[in-house]
Amino acid sequence: MQNVVIVFQIRYYQNIAWPTFIGGLVAYGGLLAFMYSPIARDLEVQIPMCSGTDLSTCGLQMMRFQACLQGISTAVMISSRIPQIMTNFRTRDCSNLSIVTWGLNFMGASIRVFTTLRELPDELVLQASFIISAALSGIVILQILLFGGKSKQKKA
């Protein structure tokens, strides 16, 4: 229910026309219906894969569509956290980060690691995603603890 209120607030404050807004909702509903359908669950796509360092072993292999999307999600998550980690390291300042937010993120990812290992032991893409997420969140927490809110700027 909270997400519905937020979506309508976005429409209101961004002055999005009703036809555009309804069209977006219908498209999103269609995407959700597809993702939860048996078609998406059973759909397989060809992706390029290599089974070693030799490029002659590269070829197209079939992969479940949903696992492929999970891999894309992992890539997006990594590409968003690595710059944050590098910026924190370079500036030695984490004053704009909340340890509570990152701690909850870390705990959530850690719990998902253990539940995925227990409930879905054959879902390697999903397990890797949660392990990487927990590790990167742990790095940010360490940076917050090490650098804190210490700013290099001198107060006048």
Side-chain angles (χ1 to χ4, degrees), residues 52-154:
T53 57
D54 185 15
L55 292 179
S56 65
T57 61
C58 294
L60 294 176
Q61 294 182 359
M62 298 302 287
M63 184 177 202
R64 281 187 27 249
F65 178 68
Q66 291 175 338
C68 186
L69 290 179
Q70 182 64 41
I72 293 170
S73 169
T74 303
V76 169
M77 181 266 306
I78 290 170
S79 66
S80 69
R81 292 197 182 161
I82 294 293
Q84 177 71 59
I85 291 169
M86 297 302 291
T87 300
N88 295 344
F89 185 74
R90 191 174 348 99
T91 62
R92 302 262 194 257
D93 181 31
C94 297
S95 60
N96 60 340
L97 300 178
S98 167
I99 194 159
V100 173
T101 301
W102 283 99
L104 291 171
N105 195 324
F106 175 75
M107 288 188 295
S110 299
I111 290 169
R112 284 191 300 270
V113 167
F114 293 113
T115 56
T116 305
L117 287 172
R118 184 168 187 265
E119 300 293 327
L120 303 167
D122 57 337
E123 293 287 338
L124 298 178
V125 173
L126 198 58
Q127 291 171 4
S129 173
F130 295 142
I131 290 169
I132 292 168
S133 177
L136 292 176
S137 295
I139 290 171
V140 173
I141 289 171
L142 286 175
Q143 288 180 328
I144 292 171
L145 294 174
L146 289 174
F147 305 143
K150 302 173 199 163
S151 181
K152 298 278 183 188
Q153 301 172 352
K154 293 182 182 179

